[in-house]
Amino acid sequence: MDAIEKAIRNAFEKGNAEDRAFRERVYRSAFAALDRALQANPGVTVEVAIKRRKAVQAKITEIESEFLPAVPGIGQPTDGDAAAPAVKQPADSEAEAEAEAETNAGADAEPAPPPDVVVDAPAKPPASDAPRSRVLPVVPDIMPDAVFPGVPEIDMSSPPSPGDGDAEVMPDRDDRRVRGPHLPLTAIFLGVTLLAAVGIGLYFAAQTGVFKSAAELDTAPPQTAPTVEDDDFTPPGDTASPLGSGDVERDWINVFSPSDPALVSAPSDAKAEVMQDDSGSFLRIRSGASGSAISFDVGQGVLEKLAGKHATFDIIARSEEGKETQISVDCNFGELGDCGRKRYAVGHERNEYLFDVRFPDKRPGAAGTIAINSDFDKQGKSVDIYEIRVSIVP
């Protein structure tokens, strides 16, 4: 006796096995126990799970056949006739209705149809009654994890015996199963989504030149020095020019020095104060929490000298010790335009931060300003301004 049969028969001994309703609950409990065992063992493949369910179904069919009464056949064989082939008897309407209701209850799991009952030999029913037979209870392949009242617990968690995987199963007469297994919609959707993602990734990789060599990518003409553009950012390695390395022959025009702080305007939430250390005098500016900038005046006389010229502005600055920061620079030169927005990474070493402006050949009607935000990230960091100057590019 195999483990499946033993478990079912042990359950029969704890109730009335002659009661068909009790047997059906035992069969359902057996399927529920098998389902729990399969879910608890993720290593079981789909094929093995199907075989185990069909093995349970075949064993239930075999056990239930023992409780079926003998059924009268139709037609008696004569002495000279050979044994007639087995005759398939129709199921009574009550059993068919019950089987159909149970099948609909487990339709989500595609239950297997009940096997037909075959009578071993032909028999002639009495005239008072039509031929009748009983059908086996239809038990869904997959049952919910539930406990049935009055039914002892059945343990199907133990691994099958070496021959269980190859147990003979009943023929599957469900046309949907005969046509072969169908992939779940979720697996199909995931597969299509994965293929689409791979295709899109390859397309964008080709568009962005991932598969091109450096020589193929470098098709642009030689670039000139950066010109003034909005929100232009210069990498840290190119932001500053060490003092003394510039063109010492240039004729610099002073725009700001700490000795004349009256030319500086600070909003209410910003600070600007003149300080001095071994490096010299400087103006320490700190933008407010709102990101407000400190303005430095550019005199009208200075702008008149720059009208129609190509000029280079030079901001000599450093950050607080141990607090590297990013500054932003904006200009307003009135009728002569602006310089766009510039961004620089400023370290603690005193360096020059340069930008060029081409001025139109107009007469300025008023003075201009250069606004500096000491901390583009709004973390309250300060910058020391030593000097702001400008020179005309020859």
Side-chain angles (χ1 to χ4, degrees), residues 291-348:
S292 55
I294 290 85
S295 298
F296 297 83
D297 290 344
V298 181
Q300 181 176 351
V302 174
L303 293 179
E304 289 177 350
K305 296 178 183 179
L306 303 178
K309 304 293 194 307
H310 179 194
T312 298
F313 283 84
D314 182 13
I315 301 175
I316 303 175
R318 72 175 184 183
S319 67
E320 285 187 78
E321 185 175 0
K323 296 183 179 181
E324 183 175 314
T325 185
Q326 287 190 23
I327 66 171
S328 65
V329 179
D330 294 278
C331 308
N332 182 5
F333 300 128
E335 296 182 2
L336 297 184
D338 56 40
C339 64
R341 172 171 290 185
K342 313 290 290 183
R343 287 174 58 190
Y344 303 96
V346 179
H348 184 62

Side-chain angles (χ1 to χ4, degrees), residues 213-265:
S213 64
E216 292 175 335
L217 293 174
D218 190 13
T219 57
Q223 297 183 356
T224 58
T227 57
V228 175
E229 295 181 0
D230 288 345
D231 206 11
D232 187 17
F233 175 71
T234 310
D238 299 329
T239 57
S241 174
L243 293 175
S245 63
D247 186 0
V248 294
E249 300 298 328
R250 286 189 178 186
D251 185 12
W252 293 102
I253 303 172
N254 182 269
V255 175
F256 164 79
S257 66
S259 60
D260 192 6
L263 300 177
V264 179
S265 299

